[in-house]
Amino acid sequence: MSNNNHENETHAHHILSDSMAYKIFGILICLTVITVGVAQIDLGAWNFAVAMLVASVKASLVCLFFMGLKYDYKENSIIFSTSLIFMTVFMVLTFSDLLTRGDVYVKGPIVPESASGPAKSKFKKAWIATPELVAHGKEQFQAQCVACHGAEGQGNGPAAAGLNPKPRNFTSADNWKNGRKPSQIFGTLTKGLNAMPSFASLPSDDRWSLVAFIRTLGPHEGEKDSDADLKKVGIDPASEDGGGGGEKSIPVGVAIDQMSEEK
Amino acid sequence: MSQSEAGVVLAADRHHAHHFNTANEEFDACKQGMWIFLVTEVLFFSGLFVAYAVLRVFNPEMMHEAHHLLNWKMGALNTVILITSSLTMALAVSSTQRGNIDKAVKLLWVTLICAGGFLIVKYFEYAHKFHEGILPGAQWHYEELKIAKAPLFFSVYFVMTGIHGLHVIIGMAIIYWLIRRAKRGEFGPAYFTPVEITGLYWHFVDLVWIFLFPLLYLVS
């Protein structure tokens, strides 16, 4: 394409003047200062918009002047723009998929419907361990946790090899980070901990049943919840089927919000 | 060859590869080739930017908490260093085009030193992170930040800045090669293609950092 256009025409290669180069440099530095300055003020969602806008202006200046697109053949600008167009396509297609999948992404490990059970509460006062609850927790454990924590809960599942810190060994009282009261374990399941994903998307019944089951694996004498402990994780100890007993699955983001508000 | 402040035109009899009609055409083709290469570079980085975007859209709180572990002052310093190196690179190109090779060589050295400075700052940042146990993915053993998926932020951080850093290192090697050739008197108003297209590459490296800096260091 170049040959026909430029064969006979004497196209002068533009030389960027020093004064122009310094001017652009000055503007770029000012814009950097602006980016940093704006980041120190809380503008909510606007922070991101401003940061990206300023970055785009900076990028355009670099392209137009330092890289000389302003003085170059239009072809080169068009060529370079195609990359941005394809990048946009990449973004749009990715998000049009991810954002319309329902809550598959938010659910963490993908589990069959039957394993997580109906969202409706099956247990009254799910924070109090009963044999039925433990049995249900065992099922949940097989479906959700063995990959990391191992079939016996010793923290040695097949996926544990690549993890650091290692998944907790439930048969021992050592090395627990968030505490071992039911409410504290419930908190861990809701929030996640480092490599351990959050299970906030499981109905809280299921989370309580997991707590009950895990506690049968190791020594837990004296690790009891007070009413205040329960209130902290959103349970009203007086209620029949539990403050958090019957709620539907909530997205991770919401759960994390709730947790951070409590802090 | 004629030369003026407005621009330079390569002489028709200037040596060029036989599959080009004129030296000018050769220059245009080389430059266009570089632009096409830069397109592939954008697409290459776009995978990482999309990964970043996905992580951010689904874990805004985590991103916010995790990015506090980065030192924005270091990031800002590196931004200034890279912009300066872009300036000196642009000036090196125009000096070559004007035939002022001594000045061009000096400017290329400054560019090289800036690139080195950038890497030194990055080295300190990385060393500090490694020391604290802030490592990508499964290697993570930093105890202070108890929020799910924080290691993922650092996977993205290390891969993005690591690959960008690799570009800086490659750029340094090419700039050094330019300095050697310039000293041998191979460049001037009649032939400056390598300087010009290395300039494009170097500005691109700056371009990527212009986005990485706010995205990684200034999340809010």
Side-chain angles (χ1 to χ4, degrees):
Chain A
M1 70 186 115
S2 303
N3 12 7
N4 341 356
N5 294 353
H6 319 135
E7 193 171 353
N8 301 317
E9 129 200 0
T10 40
H11 175 86
H13 301 287
H14 177 82
I15 300 182
L16 186 70
S17 73
D18 285 7
S19 63
M20 189 54 138
Y22 284 114
K23 225 180 273 165
I24 298 299
F25 172 74
I27 300 176
L28 289 174
I29 295 290
C30 290
L31 289 174
T32 306
V33 173
I34 291 178
T35 314
V36 170
V38 169
Q40 313 303 316
I41 323 167
D42 188 9
L43 302 175
W46 285 102
N47 276 109
F48 181 70
V50 172
M52 285 302 98
L53 186 72
V54 174
S56 306
V57 173
K58 282 165 80 179
S60 311
L61 288 174
V62 170
C63 284
L64 288 176
F65 296 96
F66 284 172
M67 298 171 98
L69 277 182
K70 183 168 192 283
Y71 314 103
D72 210 344
Y73 300 116
K74 283 287 156 285
E75 291 154 25
N76 287 340
S77 303
I78 293 169
I79 289 173
F80 194 55
S81 317
T82 55
S83 70
L84 304 180
I85 293 170
F86 277 102
M87 188 164 169
T88 315
V89 171
F90 191 1
M91 283 275 180
V92 169
L93 286 185
T94 306
F95 279 99
S96 62
D97 173 19
L98 282 178
L99 296 176
T100 52
R101 277 188 189 182
D103 57 355
V104 170
Y105 179 89
V106 200
K107 278 220 179 221
I110 297 171
V111 287
E113 196 53 43
S114 62
S116 61
K120 160 171 96 45
S121 184
K122 292 178 301 250
F123 301 97
K124 293 201 184 285
K125 296 195 184 244
W127 57 95
I128 298 168
T130 60
E132 297 80 52
L133 193 69
V134 170
H136 182 65
K138 187 169 182 179
E139 270 171 35
Q140 293 290 313
F141 187 80
Q142 303 300 342
Q144 312 271 4
C145 322
V146 287
C148 296
H149 288 279
E152 316 290 322
Q154 290 173 333
N156 55 0
L163 296 176
N164 190 354
K166 291 286 170 220
R168 205 59 64 248
N169 174 359
F170 299 135
T171 62
S172 137
D174 300 335
N175 297 328
W176 288 64
K177 292 185 184 161
N178 290 343
R180 302 165 61 244
K181 291 182 188 172
S183 64
Q184 290 166 327
I185 302 179
F186 184 81
T188 304
L189 292 182
T190 308
K191 262 194 298 184
L193 174 66
N194 297 322
M196 152 105 180
S198 154
F199 287 88
S201 55
L202 289 182
S204 70
D205 264 13
D206 289 348
R207 272 175 279 151
W208 283 116
S209 74
L210 283 160
V211 171
F213 173 69
I214 289 175
R215 282 168 54 87
T216 63
L217 298 175
H220 283 268
E221 297 81 35
E223 302 277 354
K224 290 241 163 58
D225 277 326
S226 65
D227 285 2
D229 288 334
L230 287 171
K231 285 219 174 81
K232 246 192 242 161
V233 290
I235 295 294
D236 172 8
S239 114
E240 253 307 289
D241 69 354
E247 98 213 76
K248 291 244 166 48
S249 63
I250 50 169
V252 181
V254 177
I256 294 175
D257 276 349
Q258 287 176 356
M259 299 311 295
S260 50
E261 272 160 27
E262 282 161 24
K263 259 188 247 147
Chain B
M1 169 218 68
S2 70
Q3 186 207 345
S4 69
E5 199 48 27
V8 348
V9 180
L10 304 183
D13 58 354
R14 151 99 205 154
H15 174 78
H16 52 85
H18 70 270
H19 50 279
F20 292 108
N21 290 320
T22 64
N24 252 325
E25 194 183 297
E26 183 181 56
F27 171 83
D28 290 340
C30 287
K31 197 167 172 186
Q32 193 156 81
M34 192 61 190
W35 276 111
I36 292 171
F37 172 70
L38 292 184
V39 168
T40 69
E41 287 276 83
V42 172
L43 296 182
F44 172 63
F45 275 99
S46 68
L48 294 167
F49 281 108
V50 170
Y52 170 91
V54 171
L55 198 61
R56 182 170 170 134
V57 165
F58 287 101
N59 308 278
E61 296 86 357
M62 180 281 281
M63 296 293 267
H64 185 75
E65 293 300 318
H67 99 282
H68 283 308
L69 299 179
L70 296 178
N71 184 341
W72 67 263
K73 289 182 185 131
M74 297 270 220
L77 175 62
N78 260 348
T79 309
V80 172
I81 291 178
L82 270 197
I83 292 178
T84 310
S85 77
S86 254
L87 169 71
T88 55
M89 190 71 203
L91 293 174
V93 172
S94 56
S95 301
T96 314
Q97 290 166 333
R98 292 197 195 96
N100 194 345
I101 302 302
D102 284 346
K103 188 175 167 203
V105 168
K106 281 198 197 102
L107 286 161
L108 286 173
W109 272 119
V110 179
T111 313
L112 196 62
I113 292 167
C114 284
F118 177 90
L119 289 180
I120 291 171
V121 173
K122 255 305 18 107
Y123 167 79
F124 280 116
E125 287 191 76
Y126 274 21
H128 178 72
K129 302 263 141 29
F130 289 176
H131 181 74
E132 301 244 281
I134 304 176
L135 288 159
Q139 308 306 315
W140 173 275
H141 54 90
Y142 181 70
E143 305 287 330
E144 313 289 300
L145 187 66
K146 288 204 182 64
I147 184 160
K149 300 205 191 132
L152 278 182
F153 174 81
F154 283 91
S155 300
V156 168
Y157 166 80
F158 280 113
V159 174
M160 288 181 120
T161 57
I163 287 177
H164 178 263
L166 189 65
H167 278 78
V168 173
I169 293 170
I170 293 170
M172 287 174 75
I174 301 175
I175 292 170
Y176 182 66
W177 171 73
L178 286 184
I179 294 175
R180 297 282 301 269
R181 290 189 65 183
K183 279 197 181 145
R184 269 187 252 132
E186 292 183 26
F187 303 134
Y191 180 65
F192 49 82
T193 314
V195 188
E196 169 109 16
I197 64 177
T198 305
L200 290 185
Y201 172 84
W202 191 253
H203 297 310
F204 176 79
V205 172
D206 187 17
L207 220 58
V208 173
W209 186 258
I210 285 177
F211 284 97
L212 287 186
F213 171 56
L215 286 178
L216 294 172
Y217 290 79
L218 304 175
V219 193
S220 43

Coordinates of all heavy atoms in Angstrom, one line a residue, chain B residues 88-115:
Chain B
T88 N 13.9 12.0 26.2 CA 15.3 11.9 25.7 C 15.4 11.0 24.5 O 16.1 11.3 23.6 CB 16.3 11.4 26.8 OG1 15.8 10.1 27.3 CG2 16.4 12.3 28.0
M89 N 14.5 10.0 24.4 CA 14.5 9.2 23.2 C 14.0 10.0 22.0 O 14.6 10.0 20.9 CB 13.5 8.0 23.5 CG 13.6 7.0 22.4 SD 15.1 6.1 22.5 CE 15.3 5.5 20.9
A90 N 12.9 10.8 22.2 CA 12.4 11.6 21.2 C 13.4 12.6 20.7 O 13.6 12.9 19.5 CB 11.1 12.3 21.6
L91 N 14.2 13.2 21.7 CA 15.2 14.2 21.3 C 16.4 13.5 20.6 O 17.0 14.0 19.6 CB 15.7 14.9 22.6 CG 14.7 15.8 23.3 CD1 15.3 16.3 24.6 CD2 14.3 16.9 22.4
A92 N 16.6 12.2 21.0 CA 17.7 11.5 20.3 C 17.4 11.2 18.8 O 18.2 11.4 17.9 CB 18.0 10.2 21.0
V93 N 16.1 10.9 18.6 CA 15.7 10.7 17.2 C 15.8 12.0 16.4 O 16.4 12.0 15.3 CB 14.2 10.2 17.2 CG1 13.7 10.2 15.8 CG2 14.1 8.8 17.8
S94 N 15.3 13.1 17.0 CA 15.4 14.3 16.2 C 16.8 14.8 16.0 O 17.2 15.3 14.9 CB 14.5 15.4 16.8 OG 14.9 15.7 18.1
S95 N 17.7 14.6 17.0 CA 19.1 14.9 16.8 C 19.7 14.1 15.7 O 20.5 14.6 14.9 CB 19.9 14.7 18.1 OG 19.3 15.4 19.2
T96 N 19.4 12.8 15.7 CA 19.9 12.0 14.6 C 19.5 12.5 13.2 O 20.2 12.6 12.3 CB 19.5 10.5 14.8 OG1 19.7 10.2 16.1 CG2 20.3 9.6 13.8
Q97 N 18.2 12.9 13.2 CA 17.6 13.4 11.9 C 18.3 14.6 11.5 O 18.5 14.9 10.3 CB 16.1 13.6 12.0 CG 15.4 12.3 12.1 CD 13.9 12.5 12.6 OE1 13.6 13.4 13.3 NE2 13.0 11.6 12.2
R98 N 18.8 15.4 12.5 CA 19.4 16.7 12.1 C 20.9 16.5 11.9 O 21.7 17.4 11.7 CB 19.2 17.7 13.2 CG 17.8 18.2 13.3 CD 17.7 19.5 14.1 NE 16.3 19.7 14.5 CZ 15.8 19.3 15.7 NH1 16.6 18.8 16.6 NH2 14.5 19.5 15.9
G99 N 21.4 15.3 12.2 CA 22.8 15.0 11.9 C 23.7 15.3 13.1 O 24.9 15.2 13.1
N100 N 23.1 15.6 14.3 CA 23.9 15.9 15.5 C 24.1 14.6 16.3 O 23.4 14.4 17.3 CB 23.1 17.0 16.3 CG 24.0 17.5 17.4 OD1 25.1 17.0 17.7 ND2 23.6 18.7 17.9
I101 N 25.0 13.8 15.8 CA 25.1 12.5 16.3 C 25.7 12.5 17.7 O 25.3 11.7 18.6 CB 26.0 11.6 15.4 CG1 25.4 11.5 14.0 CG2 26.2 10.2 15.9 CD1 24.0 11.0 13.9
D102 N 26.6 13.4 18.0 CA 27.2 13.4 19.4 C 26.1 13.6 20.4 O 26.0 12.9 21.4 CB 28.2 14.6 19.5 CG 29.5 14.2 18.9 OD1 29.7 13.0 18.6 OD2 30.3 15.2 18.6
K103 N 25.2 14.6 20.1 CA 24.1 14.8 21.0 C 23.2 13.6 21.1 O 22.7 13.2 22.2 CB 23.3 16.1 20.5 CG 22.3 16.5 21.4 CD 21.6 17.8 20.9 CE 20.4 18.1 21.7 NZ 19.4 19.0 20.9
A104 N 22.9 13.0 19.9 CA 22.1 11.8 19.9 C 22.6 10.7 20.8 O 21.9 10.1 21.6 CB 21.9 11.3 18.5
V105 N 23.9 10.5 20.7 CA 24.6 9.5 21.6 C 24.4 9.8 23.0 O 24.0 8.9 23.8 CB 26.0 9.3 21.2 CG1 26.8 8.4 22.2 CG2 26.2 8.7 19.8
K106 N 24.6 11.1 23.4 CA 24.4 11.5 24.8 C 23.0 11.2 25.2 O 22.8 10.6 26.3 CB 24.8 12.9 25.0 CG 26.3 13.2 25.0 CD 26.6 14.6 25.6 CE 28.0 14.9 25.3 NZ 28.1 15.9 24.2
L107 N 22.1 11.6 24.4 CA 20.7 11.4 24.8 C 20.3 9.9 24.9 O 19.5 9.6 25.8 CB 19.8 12.1 23.7 CG 19.8 13.6 23.8 CD1 19.2 14.3 22.6 CD2 18.9 14.1 25.0
L108 N 20.9 9.1 24.0 CA 20.6 7.7 24.1 C 21.2 7.1 25.4 O 20.5 6.3 26.1 CB 21.2 6.9 22.9 CG 20.5 7.1 21.6 CD1 21.2 6.5 20.5 CD2 19.0 6.5 21.7
W109 N 22.3 7.6 25.8 CA 22.9 7.2 27.1 C 21.9 7.6 28.3 O 21.7 6.8 29.2 CB 24.3 7.9 27.4 CG 25.4 7.0 26.8 CD1 26.3 7.4 25.9 CD2 25.8 5.7 27.2 NE1 27.2 6.4 25.6 CE2 26.9 5.3 26.4 CE3 25.3 4.8 28.1 CZ2 27.5 4.1 26.5 CZ3 25.9 3.5 28.2 CH2 27.0 3.2 27.4
V110 N 21.4 8.8 28.2 CA 20.5 9.3 29.3 C 19.3 8.3 29.3 O 18.8 7.9 30.4 CB 20.0 10.7 29.1 CG1 19.1 11.1 30.2 CG2 21.3 11.7 29.1
T111 N 18.8 8.0 28.1 CA 17.6 7.1 28.0 C 17.9 5.8 28.7 O 17.2 5.2 29.5 CB 17.2 6.9 26.5 OG1 17.2 8.1 25.9 CG2 15.9 6.2 26.4
L112 N 19.1 5.3 28.4 CA 19.6 4.0 28.9 C 19.7 4.1 30.4 O 19.2 3.2 31.1 CB 20.9 3.6 28.3 CG 21.4 2.2 28.5 CD1 20.4 1.3 27.8 CD2 22.8 2.0 27.9
I113 N 20.2 5.2 30.9 CA 20.4 5.3 32.4 C 19.0 5.4 33.1 O 18.7 4.8 34.1 CB 21.2 6.6 32.7 CG1 22.6 6.3 32.3 CG2 21.2 6.9 34.2 CD1 23.5 7.6 32.2
C114 N 18.1 6.1 32.4 CA 16.7 6.2 33.0 C 16.1 4.8 33.0 O 15.5 4.4 34.0 CB 15.8 7.0 32.1 SG 16.1 8.8 32.3
A115 N 16.3 4.0 32.0 CA 15.7 2.7 31.9 C 16.3 1.9 33.1 O 15.6 1.1 33.8 CB 16.0 2.0 30.6

